[in-house]
Amino acid sequence: MKILVLSCDKNEDTFDAFHHCIEKYYPTHPEIIYATETIKNPYYKTICVDYPLEFWTKRIRETLKQIDDNVVLTIMDDEFIRKPVDTERIDYLQTQLKDNIAAFYFEKSFDENDEETDIKGMKKRQHGSNYEVCINCGIWDKEKLIDVLSRDSDPWDVELNQDNRGYDYYINGEDYIIDWGYITWQYTGICKGKWCRNMIPFFEKEGIKVDFEKRGFYD
């Protein structure tokens, strides 16, 4: 498994904070690969593919094709880890990523129609349900992710379009696997190019220095 951080040039100011958090709370992590347009992350291997935002899916497809593993843990560059990662569950889920399963999402289940399954700790999303296709943090079958991203678009259109390509998707039905401070329907990290105010106390606790004035705050 490789970790693919979905990033971009304009989010270079997140590199230090992301590095601090993942090294502190996931020190045994596998190789981390950043996806950007032109700017290299000084901490990790970076695959640069220079396409504009409206061709984001094409950029990520071409990035994935350069990764020599068929399992990728995707995480956004502003998903700052806050607690020790449950590595046992991640190891277990890698063994379950087979057959028609495209992804295991680490977000907690938010839909009462999610089905209980034989895969410990995971619920199955219903085809056609809200955000059945989601690009938040989770484990993907690389080839299936490439297929899901086959339509050239920006990242938001992926979730609006909801082209599941006939695959199955599962979501976390237990405690956090990776806790990046996300609560369903509440923003954290960066939203519409601006910082969410709940990052202030977290960064203060972690001793992370950020110039919030450069982006301002999303309210």
Side-chain angles (χ1 to χ4, degrees), residues 89-138:
R89 288 187 70 192
I90 290 176
D91 291 343
Y92 165 70
L93 290 175
Q94 289 183 68
T95 69
Q96 302 302 304
L97 192 63
K98 52 192 175 183
D99 301 327
N100 198 49
I101 299 173
F104 292 120
Y105 302 139
F106 291 172
E107 177 184 356
K108 286 189 176 183
S109 174
F110 57 87
D111 189 333
E112 63 181 10
N113 293 314
D114 292 338
E115 291 183 355
E116 298 290 342
T117 71
D118 293 334
I119 300 176
K120 186 178 184 302
M122 303 303 292
K123 295 184 176 183
K124 186 178 180 181
R125 308 285 348 265
Q126 294 296 295
H127 289 314
S129 59
N130 288 332
Y131 296 99
E132 179 190 2
V133 177
C134 175
I135 58 172
N136 262 341
C137 184

Side-chain angles (χ1 to χ4, degrees), residues 1-111:
M1 185 181 76
K2 302 287 196 265
I3 295 178
L4 177 62
V5 183
L6 303 173
S7 188
C8 59
D9 288 0
K10 69 178 182 180
N11 284 1
E12 183 182 9
D13 61 341
T14 67
F15 290 179
D16 288 345
F18 186 93
H19 172 262
H20 169 96
C21 294
I22 201 166
E23 296 299 331
K24 179 177 180 178
Y25 294 116
Y26 194 3
T28 60
H29 63 74
E31 181 181 12
I32 293 174
I33 300 170
Y34 256 71
T36 67
E37 295 94 341
T38 65
I39 295 176
K40 291 186 177 296
N41 185 303
Y43 301 108
Y44 307 112
K45 176 181 177 179
T46 307
I47 297 177
C48 295
V49 180
D50 193 10
Y51 288 118
L53 184 60
E54 57 266 31
F55 290 96
W56 180 86
T57 54
K58 185 175 183 180
R59 176 163 72 84
I60 302 304
R61 290 198 311 270
E62 294 194 9
T63 300
L64 287 164
K65 290 173 183 177
Q66 297 182 56
I67 295 176
D68 61 349
D69 201 303
N70 199 46
V71 179
V72 290
L73 191 166
T74 60
I75 185 168
M76 306 298 289
D77 57 9
D78 66 333
E79 291 177 339
F80 304 107
I81 301 175
R82 296 162 182 250
K83 295 179 181 177
V85 170
D86 190 337
T87 57
E88 289 187 6
R89 288 187 70 192
I90 290 176
D91 291 343
Y92 165 70
L93 290 175
Q94 289 183 68
T95 69
Q96 302 302 304
L97 192 63
K98 52 192 175 183
D99 301 327
N100 198 49
I101 299 173
F104 292 120
Y105 302 139
F106 291 172
E107 177 184 356
K108 286 189 176 183
S109 174
F110 57 87
D111 189 333

Side-chain angles (χ1 to χ4, degrees), residues 91-186:
D91 291 343
Y92 165 70
L93 290 175
Q94 289 183 68
T95 69
Q96 302 302 304
L97 192 63
K98 52 192 175 183
D99 301 327
N100 198 49
I101 299 173
F104 292 120
Y105 302 139
F106 291 172
E107 177 184 356
K108 286 189 176 183
S109 174
F110 57 87
D111 189 333
E112 63 181 10
N113 293 314
D114 292 338
E115 291 183 355
E116 298 290 342
T117 71
D118 293 334
I119 300 176
K120 186 178 184 302
M122 303 303 292
K123 295 184 176 183
K124 186 178 180 181
R125 308 285 348 265
Q126 294 296 295
H127 289 314
S129 59
N130 288 332
Y131 296 99
E132 179 190 2
V133 177
C134 175
I135 58 172
N136 262 341
C137 184
I139 294 178
W140 282 83
D141 177 301
K142 185 185 74 172
E143 296 303 324
K144 291 182 176 66
L145 178 54
I146 291 172
D147 190 26
V148 169
L149 300 179
S150 61
R151 179 175 178 266
D152 292 343
S153 73
D154 62 40
W156 299 279
D157 189 65
V158 174
E159 294 184 339
L160 290 173
N161 187 44
Q162 287 294 297
D163 185 0
N164 62 33
R165 310 296 286 180
Y167 300 126
D168 295 326
Y169 303 83
Y170 290 69
I171 192 167
N172 182 18
E174 294 185 348
D175 200 2
Y176 290 107
I177 301 171
I178 293 181
D179 182 356
W180 67 95
Y182 179 74
I183 302 173
T184 304
W185 314 127
Q186 294 185 26

